[in-house]
Amino acid sequence: MRTEPNAVVAPIHPKAMPVILTTAAEVDLWLAADAPKALELHRPLPDDALRIVASGEKEDRAAVLV
């Protein structure tokens, strides 16, 4: 399921970001609750919950080693 992007994701993918469950309680709610209650989890993560750890083009090291 996707939701609106937060400020970290929006510059990379302005249309959407995946809904990310971050606790066991959220996973349990998602799996067991009725739809209206589970859909309360359908929201972007807070901006400080994600950080970019790499940028630029991906390098496929396997292709280099062959």
Side-chain angles (χ1 to χ4, degrees), residues 18-56:
V19 171
I20 301 173
L21 306 175
T22 60
T23 67
E26 287 179 344
V27 172
D28 290 344
L29 179 64
W30 184 259
L31 295 173
D34 60 352
K37 188 68 176 171
L39 287 173
E40 291 176 12
L41 298 170
H42 189 254
R43 80 286 187 239
L45 284 179
D47 295 339
D48 64 350
L50 290 174
R51 64 187 173 100
I52 297 173
V53 297
S55 62

Side-chain angles (χ1 to χ4, degrees), residues 49-65:
L50 290 174
R51 64 187 173 100
I52 297 173
V53 297
S55 62
E57 285 199 37
K58 179 183 174 191
E59 179 181 322
D60 188 353
R61 290 189 156 277
V64 174
L65 297 175

